[in-house]
Amino acid sequence: MTPPTTTTTTPQPPIAIVGAGPSGLILARLLENAGIAYTVFDRDASASSSGGQGGTLDIHVADGQQALKEAGLISQFRARARGDSPTIMMDKTGKVFLDSAMFASQEVEGEKAHADRPEIDRRDLRDLLLGSIPEGRVRWGVRVQEVFRGQDGLMGIRFVDGRVEAGFRLVVGADGAWSKVRRLVTSAKPQYSGFHFLTTIIKPSNPYHSAAASVAGKGMNMMCAHEKQVVMVKLGDESYYVGVAMALPESWRQENADLLANPSQLGAALVRDYLADWPQAQKDVVGHADEQFRPWPLYAMPTESLSWETVPGVALVGDAAHLTTPFVGEGVNCAMYDSLQLAQQIVKHGVDDLTAAVAAYEKEMFPRGIDLIQRSAKSGELLFAPDAPRGWLKHHVGIEVD
Ligand SMILES: Cc1cc2nc3c(=O)[nH]c(=O)nc-3n(C[C@H](O)[C@H](O)[C@H](O)COP(=O)(O)OP(=O)(O)OC[C@H]3O[C@@H](n4cnc5c(N)ncnc54)[C@H](O)[C@@H]3O)c2cc1C
């Protein structure tokens, strides 16, 4: 049955932001600071029921930290972030190829990488950004079905429950990988990379927590071998975020729904079928998860899609614009930087010339998004290569190891 349609006719703010992820919330904060009215719409039931990816994010100087600085949030960010999280990269024999002390002294892609990349738990970043805008600016529990242009030329949003909010001058798609706003600017769809991440948590009460602590300590451990990765990262609450990345069919999630519902069975199956010859600590941790594994089939937008003509009334930021695989760990940084750039153009051009603002923003965003997608694809190729992490180190850090 088609749900009834209720259209809201009360005056709208000029800007609607679809998505309360990092890109949507920092854009909200920047508009708030500039005195420009907006509403954020998110499908999550509430701020605390985030369906986000979990885990931690390292925030880089040139983009993520720059956006937080311009938003007036850098000191609050530093108060919540951890600056002392070592990163260790190994092959499956346990041979250490890289640790952050070594990383800090290397020039990586033009930046003293990891020298200043504090880690923050994803939910802490969301809390920080949410706390920086007035309550009530985010409407929770509203899942967008489509965005359309009304007969008056203004933009409308139709929600899955049939309600409609109309009269916006600009709708910003900050709604991630499967954006409902994207189709207004391109017919391109995300393409499957061939790889999945399966992520879960080991809590301090878990008897195998000490196995995670023995490899990741207070930071991150990434082990690469046999075209797979096992990643462990310490979270602020002492738990470890655990990720297993490997080549799987795109339909793996649908075909393994029963297994996914049972973490102990899935953990045992992963160890038996994929990690049998890995070190005991990795097998112990993956085999004894506390929470269900979350499957992340990894997609990226085709780079040729990043070249559309500016569509009046529509802009995309973050993953909605340039979804990429997570193999350079810059998605959230680039997403927040997009929002900084868009907000700056909106302030410069004013709400009466939003099309010029979006056009100027897109001109800078397209090459940035293409570069990110290409670098992540190359990084993924090297991280899953039979000799990993050697090729990755040579390419990214410029060092050759046996
Ligand atoms: C497994 C994995 C690991 C990653 N690790 C890292 C990392 O270490 N470092 C890094 O920088 N990046 C990482 N990324 C990438 C990073 O998560 C994204 O680039 C970043 O979250 C993008 O932010 P965003 O605001 O554009 O979108 P999102 O974070 O996806 O937020 C989108 C928001 O839109 C809402 N939404 C979606 N659809 C609708 C709808 N129809 N109606 C209403 N609301 C909607 C969602 O609820 C969500 O709040 C990782 C990604 C994955 C999958």
Side-chain angles (χ1 to χ4, degrees):
M1 197 175 76
T2 312
T5 298
T6 317
T7 303
T8 298
T9 52
T10 47
Q12 297 285 9
I15 299 177
I17 302 170
V18 180
S23 62
L25 289 178
I26 201 151
L27 178 61
R29 163 73 178 187
L30 290 160
L31 294 179
E32 184 73 37
N33 287 353
I36 296 171
Y38 62 89
T39 301
V40 183
F41 299 94
D42 200 283
R43 67 183 172 191
D44 287 347
S46 68
S48 56
S49 68
S50 162
Q53 291 97 330
T56 71
L57 298 160
D58 55 332
I59 305 299
H60 307 177
V61 177
D63 36 35
Q65 287 187 42
Q66 181 66 20
L68 288 162
K69 199 168 154 192
E70 297 288 336
L73 297 172
I74 196 72
S75 51
Q76 290 179 49
F77 162 73
R78 287 201 176 276
R80 289 173 186 242
R82 302 180 291 282
D84 59 347
S85 308
T87 300
I88 297 168
M89 200 173 202
M90 305 169 144
D91 73 3
K92 79 159 199 206
T93 65
K95 177 173 174 177
V96 174
F97 285 86
L98 177 146
D99 65 33
S100 46
M102 176 178 148
F103 219 170
S105 65
Q106 299 289 331
E107 186 76 18
V108 180
E109 292 177 8
E111 192 185 332
K112 288 274 181 209
H114 286 239
D116 186 16
R117 291 185 169 187
E119 295 267 346
I120 187 165
D121 286 6
R122 201 180 276 268
R123 63 166 175 253
D124 287 345
L125 180 61
R126 190 182 232 193
D127 288 350
L128 167 65
L129 295 173
L130 265 178
S132 76
I133 55 173
E135 257 188 73
R137 291 275 199 240
V138 184
R139 300 256 304 274
W140 297 105
V142 282
R143 185 182 284 265
V144 171
Q145 185 171 57
E146 65 165 346
V147 174
F148 59 90
R149 187 180 313 284
Q151 286 180 345
D152 57 2
L154 296 173
M155 305 307 295
I157 302 175
R158 180 171 289 107
F159 300 95
V160 292
D161 64 5
R163 281 178 304 131
V164 169
E165 299 261 353
F168 300 105
R169 294 194 209 178
L170 177 69
V171 175
V172 180
D175 51 341
W178 301 101
S179 171
K180 298 291 184 192
V181 187
R182 187 189 288 137
R183 70 164 191 84
L184 289 168
V185 298
T186 175
S187 58
K189 300 263 188 301
Q191 294 174 342
Y192 182 53
S193 66
F195 294 97
H196 269 59
F197 248 110
L198 302 174
T199 63
T200 186
I201 298 285
I202 291 276
K203 292 182 180 158
S205 54
N206 187 310
Y208 293 91
H209 182 267
S210 55
S214 72
V215 284
K218 59 181 184 175
M220 177 177 107
N221 181 289
M222 177 193 276
M223 191 173 262
C224 305
H226 295 316
E227 295 159 40
K228 298 175 209 68
Q229 289 173 38
V230 175
V231 181
M232 297 182 210
V233 190
K234 191 169 189 190
L235 301 176
D237 69 357
E238 305 290 316
S239 301
Y240 284 91
Y241 177 74
V242 181
V244 182
M246 65 184 119
L248 289 174
E250 187 175 9
S251 56
W252 186 87
R253 173 173 36 181
Q254 290 76 25
E255 288 157 9
N256 291 277
D258 291 344
L259 202 51
L260 277 164
N262 187 327
S264 55
Q265 265 185 32
L266 176 52
L270 289 174
V271 170
R272 185 190 61 229
D273 298 340
Y274 299 103
L275 306 175
D277 54 354
W278 280 56
Q280 195 58 41
Q282 270 73 9
K283 294 198 282 190
D284 283 345
V285 171
V286 173
H288 298 91
D290 285 300
E291 292 184 2
Q292 289 194 353
F293 284 84
R294 182 157 183 179
W296 294 101
L298 302 175
Y299 291 83
M301 286 300 286
T303 49
E304 12 357 314
S305 69
L306 283 155
S307 65
W308 58 80
E309 290 288 324
T310 302
V311 175
V314 185
L316 301 182
V317 290
D319 282 6
H322 45 66
L323 175 67
T324 181
T325 52
F327 301 126
V328 287
E330 288 180 24
V332 86
N333 290 281
C334 198
M336 292 199 293
Y337 194 71
D338 283 353
S339 292
L340 171 62
Q341 298 261 292
L342 178 59
Q344 286 176 336
Q345 293 298 341
I346 291 172
V347 169
K348 180 173 167 193
H349 291 271
V351 289
D352 290 329
D353 200 0
L354 288 167
T355 304
V358 172
Y361 154 74
E362 286 171 343
K363 202 169 156 210
E364 306 273 322
M365 180 273 285
F366 289 144
R368 197 169 57 244
I370 290 169
D371 176 60
L372 176 61
I373 293 168
Q374 288 175 336
R375 282 189 295 116
S376 189
K378 178 70 186 169
S379 186
E381 198 182 295
L382 296 171
L383 286 170
F384 290 101
D387 71 341
R390 294 167 180 81
W392 188 92
L393 284 168
K394 186 169 176 207
H395 183 79
H396 285 272
V397 193
I399 53 173
E400 299 218 33
V401 282
D402 302 333

